[in-house]
Amino acid sequence: MIKKLEKELKKLNAKREKLSKFLSKQNKKTLSTNQRALLTEQKQAMAKYATVLKLRIRDLKEAAK
């Protein structure tokens, strides 16, 4: 279970990094204000999800001791 969660976290972090790079390269002409806002919200949700995954991994590791 821990390995599965760690793999999921690794994939999520890679996607977050790609999204961050994408957003930093875009300007107001290439993305609408609404799309930029939605992508920013998506990035924040991904960050929250990553935090939860980290907490679950830590909890499982503590329980395994």
Side-chain angles (χ1 to χ4, degrees), residues 10-26:
K10 185 176 180 180
K11 285 182 179 182
L12 179 62
N13 284 334
K15 288 180 182 183
R16 284 174 54 205
E17 182 63 29
K18 286 180 184 179
L19 179 55
S20 290
K21 286 180 182 178
F22 175 78
L23 284 171
S24 70
K25 291 179 182 178
Q26 301 306 305

Side-chain angles (χ1 to χ4, degrees), residues 16-64:
R16 284 174 54 205
E17 182 63 29
K18 286 180 184 179
L19 179 55
S20 290
K21 286 180 182 178
F22 175 78
L23 284 171
S24 70
K25 291 179 182 178
Q26 301 306 305
N27 60 38
K28 292 180 182 177
K29 294 178 183 176
T30 57
L31 272 182
S32 70
T33 303
N34 190 48
Q35 281 297 309
R36 178 175 279 288
L38 290 169
L39 286 170
T40 300
E41 190 168 328
Q42 179 178 328
K43 189 175 108 173
Q44 291 170 347
M46 292 167 84
K48 176 70 173 173
Y49 183 38
T51 299
V52 172
L53 284 174
K54 288 176 195 173
L55 291 171
R56 289 185 63 207
I57 291 166
R58 186 182 330 152
D59 182 65
L60 287 169
K61 285 181 177 179
E62 288 291 322

